Amino acid sequence: MFIQYRPDKDVWAYGVEPAKVRYRLRLARYPALAEYLQAWLKQKPENRTFTLVDVGVGFGRTFLYVDAAGIGDRFEMIGIDIDPTRKNDVYASPLWNIRQGDAQERLQFADSSVDVVVSEQLLEHLDYPGNLITEVHRILKPGGLFICGVPIFPRPIAKIRRWLVRHYGLRGSEHVQTYTLHSIRGDLAEYFDEVACRGFRIVSGGLLRQLENYEWWYRFNRRLGEWLPGLCIEVQLIVVPKK
C-alpha cells in the first residue's frame, strides 16, 4: 500500500484506506464510482462477470473501492498504465491484471469486448486525449459504461489558463489540457450519450478540512456536486456509446 498508515494519526477514509480525515473529499469520486457500479450490477444477471478496464490505473484506487464495495468478484479488473513499474506500486491483489500501455495508442482489446472503462484524472495529462476517447468507444460493448473524470475550471478561468499555457508553458503543472464542464461534455458527445454527471469538491480542504471527518459534510458536498457540477473542482461523467 503506497500510503503509510500511522495508527496514532491516521483514520480509514471511507473505511477503505488510511488518510487524515474519514471522508476525504479528494477521494470522493471513488466511493461514488463504486456506488454507481453497485446499482448498475443490480440490473444485470447475478451469475455474470464483467470486464472493467481502468486506463491510467495509478495506484489502483478504482479497484480498491470496487473491491471494498463487495462487488470485486463481479469484475475481471484490468489496469493499464504507461509506467512499467506501476504493477509493483498498485494496491496488491493477485486477481488484478496490471499491464503497461500508452493511453494515446491503440488499446490491446478487441472491438466491443469490454463492459466498463474507467479513466479518472487522466485526460488532462494527455497531448491527444481524443485518441483515448475513440479507443474507449471502439472497445466498449453496446450499452457499456465509460466513467470519465477530469478537473474542470469555470470558463473565464479556463480561457486565461489556456492563454498562459500557450504563451508561457505549463510552469510545473502536468495538466496539458484545460477542461470546463462544457468542453469535456463536447469532447465525449461525438461518441457517447451522457447518463450521469456529478461534480466533486466545491468546498474542501484548508480551514474546512476537519469537517471532512463527518459523513453529513461528505453527503452535503455530494449533493452540491449533483446540483452544481460546473462549479466543482472536478467532474465525473458516466456515458454510454451512441447507438
Side-chain angles (χ1 to χ4, degrees):
M1 188 174 290
F2 76 99
I3 301 175
Q4 184 178 4
Y5 177 55
R6 296 177 295 178
D8 58 327
K9 295 184 178 180
D10 296 347
V11 297
W12 288 94
Y14 304 100
V16 175
E17 63 174 303
K20 296 294 181 287
V21 287
R22 296 181 186 278
Y23 299 95
R24 190 183 179 201
L25 294 179
R26 278 185 172 271
L27 301 177
R29 58 185 178 267
Y30 295 105
L33 184 159
E35 288 170 15
Y36 192 91
L37 289 178
Q38 279 181 313
W40 182 76
L41 285 172
K42 290 179 180 179
Q43 312 301 318
K44 304 297 180 182
E46 293 184 4
N47 60 346
R48 275 198 59 192
T49 58
F50 301 89
T51 305
L52 189 163
V53 176
D54 187 356
V55 185
V57 67
F59 294 106
R61 275 196 170 107
T62 292
F63 297 163
L64 182 71
Y65 280 77
V66 167
D67 216 25
I71 55 175
D73 60 345
R74 299 292 307 278
F75 292 101
E76 177 192 2
M77 294 193 277
I78 302 169
I80 308 295
D81 203 281
I82 196 169
D83 186 347
T85 66
R86 181 60 72 196
K87 62 184 179 182
N88 299 321
D89 298 330
V90 77
Y91 285 106
S93 171
L95 301 178
W96 302 344
N97 182 349
I98 309 301
R99 307 175 185 175
Q100 183 184 8
D102 189 336
Q104 299 182 103
E105 296 180 356
R106 185 176 177 86
L107 299 175
Q108 298 306 304
F109 299 92
D111 295 0
S112 304
S113 63
V114 174
D115 298 290
V116 181
V117 176
V118 174
S119 171
E120 265 294 345
Q121 310 299 301
L122 174 65
L123 290 182
E124 69 274 14
H125 295 276
L126 304 181
D127 291 318
Y128 305 102
N131 290 4
L132 177 58
I133 292 171
T134 57
E135 274 297 282
V136 171
H137 182 263
R138 179 184 67 81
I139 69 174
L140 269 181
K141 295 178 181 178
L145 295 178
F146 181 26
I147 302 175
C148 178
V150 294
I152 60 170
F153 296 86
R155 287 191 187 185
I157 296 176
K159 187 174 182 179
I160 292 169
R161 185 182 189 276
R162 289 172 186 142
W163 185 90
L164 290 172
V165 169
R166 186 167 60 251
H167 288 84
Y168 297 101
L170 294 175
R171 299 286 178 130
S173 172
E174 296 180 351
H175 291 191
V176 180
Q177 306 298 330
T178 302
Y179 286 106
T180 65
L181 178 57
H182 178 78
S183 68
I184 184 59
R185 276 177 160 161
D187 286 356
L188 295 173
E190 183 177 355
Y191 298 97
F192 299 95
D193 291 320
E194 186 175 311
V195 175
C197 173
R198 55 274 191 97
F200 301 94
R201 294 197 292 146
I202 288 182
V203 285
S204 67
L207 296 175
L208 300 176
R209 175 66 55 81
Q210 288 306 311
L211 288 175
E212 295 179 32
N213 279 305
Y214 300 98
E215 185 177 6
W216 68 265
W217 180 246
Y218 160 67
R219 294 294 176 189
F220 173 69
N221 275 269
R222 282 284 302 272
R223 186 57 60 88
L224 277 181
E226 293 169 4
W227 289 340
L228 303 167
L231 298 182
C232 294
I233 296 173
E234 60 185 87
V235 69
Q236 186 181 81
L237 294 167
I238 300 172
V239 297
V240 296
K242 287 184 179 292
K243 296 181 179 179

